[in-house]
Amino acid sequence: MSMISENIDRVQNDINSACISVGRDPSEVTLIAVSKTKPVEMLKAAYDHGCRNFGENKVQELTAKMPALPDDISWHMIGHLQTNKVKYIVGKVVLIHSVDSYKLAETINDQAAKAGCIQDILLEMNLAGEESKFGSADPEINRQLIRDVSGLDYVRLCGLMTVAPYVEDPEENRVYFRQLRDMIYGDMREYFPEKPLLSMGMSGDYKVAVEEGATHVRVGSSIFGERNYNI
Ligand SMILES: *Cc1c(COP(=O)(O)O)cnc(C)c1O
């Protein structure tokens, strides 16, 4: 079996065990294979092993890979999105995870209206307040963003997303995963669907994220290996 197949099996087994340990049904969790910087051949290997959800963080890379792979793939936009690039992905990705401002949500709304579709989105929150990351750490700003975005007709607010800090011990991120879940299940519950989505957990911390209620984990290097940005 190839390295990628083995990796997918290992990650999926970890997800299943984490679910069982907290009484969740593993079918509630979608594993997104984060394929940024990786060649199409590696995505094909993951596809052949059963992966149907792929995540990319750049519009150009996403739209280049899409036509090179089978059309029963669900593509996820997980990276920072500029308003001028929204038109290239609206209606083509199942979910935009990284909506971090009202202006961006409004642009997605306008483009979806034009395309005659409703775009599913998540709002990104930067709970640890890291400089390098997008979204706000301020609960009041985040609450206002939720209220404002829920008023748009052509975007469907499905849930929340966060990119937790890079840490040695994944337990350190449990607090942020809990905060994200509490943001939905607290006094903002009415703004989210019956089954809200929580996109949280990456290679270093997806088990803890699943224990805390993640419905989508975004796993890159644990499936495809380390990324090399210098090529
Ligand atoms: C790259 C990336 C991931 C995957 O990171 P790994 O640590 O390689 O699993 C997840 N989410 C986002 C937003 C990313 O940009």
Side-chain angles (χ1 to χ4, degrees):
M1 203 160 50
S2 77
M3 180 196 77
I4 289 175
S5 302
E6 280 174 24
N7 289 345
I8 292 168
D9 286 351
R10 193 187 61 251
V11 171
Q12 189 62 61
N13 283 337
D14 286 345
I15 292 170
N16 296 353
S17 314
C19 281
I20 288 159
S21 75
V22 294
R24 298 185 67 198
D25 183 336
S27 70
E28 290 171 17
V29 182
T30 300
L31 169 59
I32 300 172
V34 176
S35 45
K36 62 192 189 200
T37 78
K38 300 296 179 183
V40 162
E41 296 70 53
M42 290 182 86
L43 280 75
K44 283 199 172 122
Y47 179 89
D48 288 339
H49 198 64
C51 268
R52 292 296 179 272
N53 287 272
F54 288 86
E56 290 282 341
N57 69 338
K58 291 204 166 76
V59 168
Q60 209 181 344
E61 194 174 343
L62 179 66
T63 53
K65 282 173 175 172
M66 256 182 204
L69 284 141
D71 58 15
D72 61 342
I73 287 175
S74 294
W75 292 95
H76 297 256
M77 177 61 192
I78 63 171
H80 184 60
L81 183 55
Q82 288 169 305
T83 52
N84 62 341
K85 302 232 170 106
V86 165
K87 57 178 179 284
Y88 301 114
I89 62 162
V90 159
K92 294 184 179 158
V93 295
V94 286
L95 189 60
I96 302 175
H97 294 231
S98 42
V99 180
D100 57 0
S101 71
Y102 182 70
K103 184 167 168 270
L104 177 57
E106 210 176 20
T107 306
I108 296 170
N109 185 70
D110 294 348
Q111 291 297 332
K114 247 191 205 170
C117 65
I118 292 176
Q119 178 67 57
D120 285 353
I121 66 161
L122 306 178
L123 293 176
E124 178 169 2
M125 297 187 172
N126 179 9
L127 298 174
E130 291 179 285
E131 287 278 338
S132 59
K133 300 210 168 126
F134 295 95
S136 176
D138 184 319
E140 262 327 302
I141 289 176
N142 285 332
R143 283 197 178 87
Q144 195 55 49
L145 183 60
I146 291 169
R147 287 184 207 106
D148 291 344
V149 167
S150 68
L152 296 168
D153 290 331
Y154 295 91
V155 296
R156 186 184 294 122
L157 176 58
C158 297
L160 301 176
M161 177 269 214
T162 195
V163 180
Y166 181 80
V167 287
E168 288 291 326
D169 177 6
E171 283 298 330
E172 286 175 40
N173 283 337
R174 192 179 290 278
V175 59
Y176 301 119
F177 299 145
R178 241 174 231 178
Q179 273 175 30
L180 200 68
R181 186 187 58 193
D182 289 348
M183 181 62 92
I184 289 182
Y185 289 95
D187 57 350
M188 304 307 281
R189 186 69 189 85
E190 65 183 287
Y191 295 99
F192 295 97
E194 190 194 334
K195 288 190 171 169
L197 307 184
L198 275 170
S199 171
M200 56 190 196
M202 307 173 28
S203 288
D205 55 20
Y206 64 87
K207 290 178 234 176
V208 175
V210 167
E211 288 168 5
E212 294 301 329
T215 66
H216 290 69
V217 292
R218 310 176 308 267
V219 180
S221 46
S222 286
I223 291 177
F224 296 110
E226 292 300 320
R227 287 176 294 274
N228 182 359
Y229 287 101
N230 305 316
I231 46 172

